[in-house]
Amino acid sequence: MTENSSETPEVFRGHLDECLRFLGNTLVASIPKGSKGAAQAKRPLADFCGVSIDCVQQWLRNASLPIGEQRVKLMCYLDMMGFRVIELERMPKIRRNFLELIGFGLISGRQAAELLGYTTVSRTYEVLRGACNASTGKRAIMLRECSSRKEELEKRKNNAETRYRLDIPPKVQPKKAETEPVTLPSSGLQQCIADEILVLSARLSTLGSQLKRSTGVSKPQKGGT
């Protein structure tokens, strides 16, 4: 979870389709269907995802759910608005951070595929949603891209939160939902541990380089006085 999302009051927690259903019911409750402005109330979500209002209305009715880049953007938008999307919560950290680069428009799905060396964009989305694993080398590429674009991503998220905000009141979750643990399959847990080791290794390497540059201590020469 990112710093911004952790500061946003929780609105609802559930799977993507459940979050969409809750959002649709909330919008109908505030602006009944057929009322003036009901369609335009969905404009922020439509603009963020780069789709029409009619498309958003289909999502909210669960008539169809997006795939690929639009699905990534939708999950990022809901998380930004205070929804806790279970599919995002269960993602290993490196994979989720890389997904946000796509969700907030820093790179496209095509660019992500090229960075990771995949021949098709669909393969990239299969990896991001956990349908197949990424190698250690490809996770290292994800980590590098996320680290180099961290400040840019935070600026993009802050701007998006202001520009595309929907006023959705926070909701107090039932006790069961609050205390329900997030569980990962053993393979997912192993990848999370591997990713944390990868992140720690990168940080230690950077710290070592910084210390070496700052000290500038050379080895004493033999026979010196």
Side-chain angles (χ1 to χ4, degrees), residues 69-87:
E69 192 164 327
Q70 289 179 356
R71 190 182 188 92
V72 168
K73 287 181 175 294
L74 176 58
M75 289 194 292
C76 288
Y77 182 85
L78 290 171
D79 180 72
M80 181 174 66
M81 291 297 104
F83 288 82
R84 300 298 169 250
V85 184
I86 291 176
E87 289 89 337

Side-chain angles (χ1 to χ4, degrees), residues 108-119:
S108 66
R110 171 60 62 184
Q111 290 171 323
E114 292 174 354
L115 284 169
L116 297 175
Y118 292 127
T119 56

